[in-house]
Amino acid sequence: MNIREINQHDLSRCAELFVEIFSNPPWNETWQMGAVMRRLSDCLHTPNFVGLLVETSGRIDGFAFGNIQYYGEEKHYYL
């Protein structure tokens, strides 16, 4: 298992996993790849973005997208 920062080149593989996961129970949502790519790309380009990818043997097992926001003098990470 390898954990690393997400980059632009990971988006299509993350989008495929997103569609696979959220198309099944308990969500049963209907997502199209184009819409997911836009959503993940918007996240990736948010200021202070921090995203991690978990992969095993080149296969994505999961990922987390979020960004750091300031609250007074504190930093909060929104997942």
Side-chain angles (χ1 to χ4, degrees), residues 4-6 43-53 63-69 76-79:
R4 63 176 175 81
E5 288 188 26
I6 289 174
C43 290
L44 180 74
H45 293 98
T46 298
N48 301 311
F49 170 80
V50 178
L52 296 175
L53 180 104
F63 60 91
F65 278 54
N67 68 304
I68 295 170
Q69 296 181 13
H76 293 199
Y77 180 74
Y78 288 87
L79 181 63

Side-chain angles (χ1 to χ4, degrees), residues 12 17 21 27-28 30 35 47-48 50 54 60 65 73 78-79:
S12 61
L17 181 59
I21 296 299
W27 301 280
N28 298 313
T30 304
N48 301 311
V50 178
V54 179
I60 295 178
F65 278 54
E73 296 300 315
Y78 288 87
L79 181 63

